[in-house]
Amino acid sequence: MGFDIEILIRLIWRGVPFEFYGVRVTYPSDGISNFRAFRDNVRISWVFTKLCCGMIIRSPLFLFRLLTEKKNG
C-alpha cells in the first residue's frame, strides 16, 4: 500500500518532473478485500516513518532548492 507513495516521494526528492493522469478504479462486486488491517497498517506506518525521517534529513537541500529556484525564476 505504501510502495507507490514511496516511489512518488523519492522521485520528487530527486527533482524528476512528472504529470498526473486520471485512472479508473474498479472494485470487485463481491466486496472482498485483500487488505489485512494490522499487517498492512504496520507496513504503511513504517513507510511513512522512513519518508518523514528522510524528509527531515534532506530539509536543508529542499530549502536550498526552493531558494535558488525563486532567485532564478
Side-chain angles (χ1 to χ4, degrees), residues 7-18 58 61-62 65 69:
I7 295 296
L8 182 63
I9 295 298
R10 290 186 181 276
L11 288 172
I12 291 170
W13 285 351
R14 291 177 185 234
V16 175
F18 58 91
R58 290 171 178 86
L61 174 63
F62 299 150
R65 274 191 204 162
E69 286 175 3

Side-chain angles (χ1 to χ4, degrees), residues 2-63:
F3 181 74
D4 50 347
I5 297 298
E6 185 172 8
I7 295 296
L8 182 63
I9 295 298
R10 290 186 181 276
L11 288 172
I12 291 170
W13 285 351
R14 291 177 185 234
V16 175
F18 58 91
E19 294 182 27
F20 289 100
Y21 293 93
V23 295
R24 188 173 50 143
V25 177
T26 57
Y27 295 98
S29 59
D30 58 8
I32 294 176
S33 171
N34 291 320
F35 188 81
R36 302 290 176 248
F38 181 77
R39 182 193 69 193
D40 292 341
N41 277 309
V42 168
R43 289 179 176 177
I44 291 168
S45 297
W46 176 243
V47 167
F48 283 104
T49 301
K50 287 189 315 183
L51 292 173
C52 285
C53 291
M55 184 183 68
I56 292 169
I57 292 168
R58 290 171 178 86
S59 61
L61 174 63
F62 299 150
L63 290 172

